[in-house]
Amino acid sequence: MEAYKLFRFNRVVIVGGGAIGTALANALAYNEKTETILYSIEPDVVEEINTRRHNTKYFPGVRLMEGFRATTDMEVFRHADGVFMAIPSVAVVDFVRKHASLLPADAAIVNLAKGFGPQGRTISEVLMEEFSFPVAAMKGPSFARELIQGSPTGFTIGCTQSGLWHAFEELFEPTPVYVDFSKDIRGVELLSILKNIYAIAVGIMDAQFNTANLRFLFLTRAMAEMREVMLLFGGKKPTMFKYCGFGDFGLTSLNDLSRNRTLGLLIGKGFFNEQISEKVLLEGKIAVNVFCGHLQRKGRLSDFPILEGLNQIFDGSIDRGAFARKMLSK
């Protein structure tokens, strides 16, 4: 802990000029003591942010704050204290592998992506195994379109180096971002994946019944099963009640801005095919396959009927009606 006692984020680089990367950079602009730089591979996005203070590709009509800049120049990584990865989960590990030599030895790598890394391992675990950088996971109930407007937004910082927690508190103190903390980085990562899976299931049930009683009956079952899966895969009990757990699951499963809930609604209404929400559908299938594969090898899949039912929906062995009957069996 003493090793990080004086650590602070003087310069932060956010990787990814998409929705969440831009929203986080805009939030950090409230902190005048930290230099915030948004790195993007899209020259048009960079130019528009720097010259017009807009990112119309992701936030049409929203004027961005002046307190950050964008760049395509990778030299900015050489003096970064923190690198926040706001790119798709499949790209995070490869990006760090390719550019690790540019980073200072004590730069913190913060993963915002929600998904598995290579070989079905969590992204943070892969980064911690392969590199000596301090690693954190940052997950929570956060719609980018609300954060960009300055809405107070919660995130859990999962980081085994608790000595760094003070630096995150200092970084976000002047911003709309609220943080809680956990050493259970595996649980934080797992919940960010599981909540998307179970939000699909909630959407499927809501589409077929749309009653408050059933919604919260099923939501309770889903949350309980999600918690048991997290524990079986190595997460810790208290993590479920951080922003990354109850908060993110509630937001993702009950709000129609959620892509995963929307996918579930479409499936529940009978519009399931390979074209609808293709990217979200693929992410959901991959995550379900990873968890179900592990559970099958343990002989435990039947203990988790929601996961099992989603797997059957995705492989076409049951339809939405059979899924609903399975979910309501006593």
Side-chain angles (χ1 to χ4, degrees):
M1 185 167 178
E2 286 296 317
Y4 300 104
K5 187 175 181 180
L6 300 178
F7 184 93
R8 73 178 307 274
F9 291 105
N10 294 304
R11 171 185 275 195
V12 164
V13 178
I14 298 169
V15 180
I20 192 62
T22 303
L24 182 60
N26 200 64
L28 284 174
Y30 285 93
N31 187 339
E32 297 178 357
K33 295 180 180 179
T34 295
E35 180 185 10
T36 299
I37 303 168
L38 182 65
Y39 171 81
S40 174
I41 60 172
E42 301 176 281
D44 56 327
V45 169
V46 169
E47 182 179 3
E48 186 181 31
I49 290 174
N50 289 337
T51 60
R52 298 181 53 227
R53 307 314 299 173
H54 286 282
N55 185 346
T56 53
K57 185 176 289 188
Y58 298 98
F59 297 109
V62 175
R63 182 167 180 80
L64 304 175
M65 293 186 63
E66 299 287 343
F68 75 96
R69 64 184 175 93
T71 186
T72 58
D73 184 1
M74 301 211 69
E75 288 297 307
V76 296
F77 291 100
R78 294 195 183 277
H79 303 288
D81 300 297
V83 177
F84 288 69
M85 305 301 299
I87 55 179
S89 57
V90 294
V92 173
V93 173
D94 284 343
F95 184 95
V96 178
R97 285 172 177 166
K98 186 175 180 180
H99 304 297
S101 62
L102 293 173
L103 301 178
D106 61 349
I109 300 177
V110 185
N111 175 44
L112 284 88
K114 298 174 179 179
F116 282 111
Q119 290 84 50
R121 296 180 294 164
T122 69
I123 292 170
S124 293
E125 287 172 320
V126 176
L127 294 176
M128 288 190 291
E129 288 171 9
E130 295 191 12
F131 304 100
S132 59
F133 306 112
V135 173
M138 182 173 168
K139 318 293 173 111
S142 50
F143 287 138
R145 68 177 67 183
E146 294 192 1
L147 180 58
I148 199 78
Q149 301 286 358
S151 175
T153 302
F155 288 94
T156 297
I157 305 293
C159 183
T160 58
Q161 292 100 338
S162 58
L164 281 175
W165 293 1
H166 76 93
F168 283 103
E169 287 180 323
E170 182 182 46
L171 175 66
F172 290 115
E173 196 279 330
T175 79
V177 173
Y178 291 71
V179 290
D180 60 20
F181 297 93
S182 175
K183 288 186 178 181
D184 179 23
I185 193 168
R186 179 167 178 78
V188 172
E189 288 277 14
L190 288 171
L191 285 171
S192 75
I193 303 167
L194 286 166
K195 59 95 180 181
N196 286 334
I197 294 173
Y198 285 90
I200 296 171
V202 171
I204 294 173
M205 297 298 285
D206 264 1
Q208 296 182 78
F209 295 93
N210 194 29
T211 69
N213 285 7
L214 185 137
R215 177 176 300 122
F216 286 94
L217 180 157
F218 187 70
L219 190 77
T220 304
R221 286 190 176 186
M223 187 170 175
E225 184 176 301
M226 186 170 74
R227 175 177 173 271
E228 291 306 308
V229 174
M230 179 198 68
L231 293 174
L232 185 63
F233 281 77
K236 306 300 181 186
K237 287 182 180 179
T239 313
M240 189 72 202
F241 298 97
K242 300 287 187 179
Y243 291 131
C244 65
F246 176 78
D248 209 359
F249 176 53
L251 178 105
T252 308
S253 60
L254 296 177
N255 195 296
D256 288 342
L257 290 176
S258 162
R259 297 180 305 162
N260 288 281
R261 172 177 168 79
T262 299
L263 173 59
L265 291 171
L266 288 169
I267 294 172
K269 291 293 185 183
F271 297 109
F272 179 69
N273 59 62
E274 294 298 326
Q275 283 70 50
I276 61 164
S277 304
E278 187 173 341
K279 181 175 180 291
V280 182
L281 178 59
L282 180 60
E283 290 173 350
K285 279 185 172 181
I286 291 171
V288 168
N289 286 341
V290 170
F291 284 113
C292 287
H294 282 294
L295 291 170
Q296 282 176 329
R297 289 190 288 274
K298 293 173 182 286
R300 296 287 308 276
L301 183 56
S302 61
D303 295 335
F304 301 94
I306 300 176
L307 258 183
E308 184 181 44
L310 274 177
N311 195 42
Q312 292 168 330
I313 281 272
F314 287 149
D315 69 19
S317 59
I318 64 173
D319 61 16
R320 59 196 174 106
F323 177 84
R325 290 191 293 274
K326 181 183 179 77
M327 295 304 100
L328 293 176
S329 63
K330 294 183 177 180

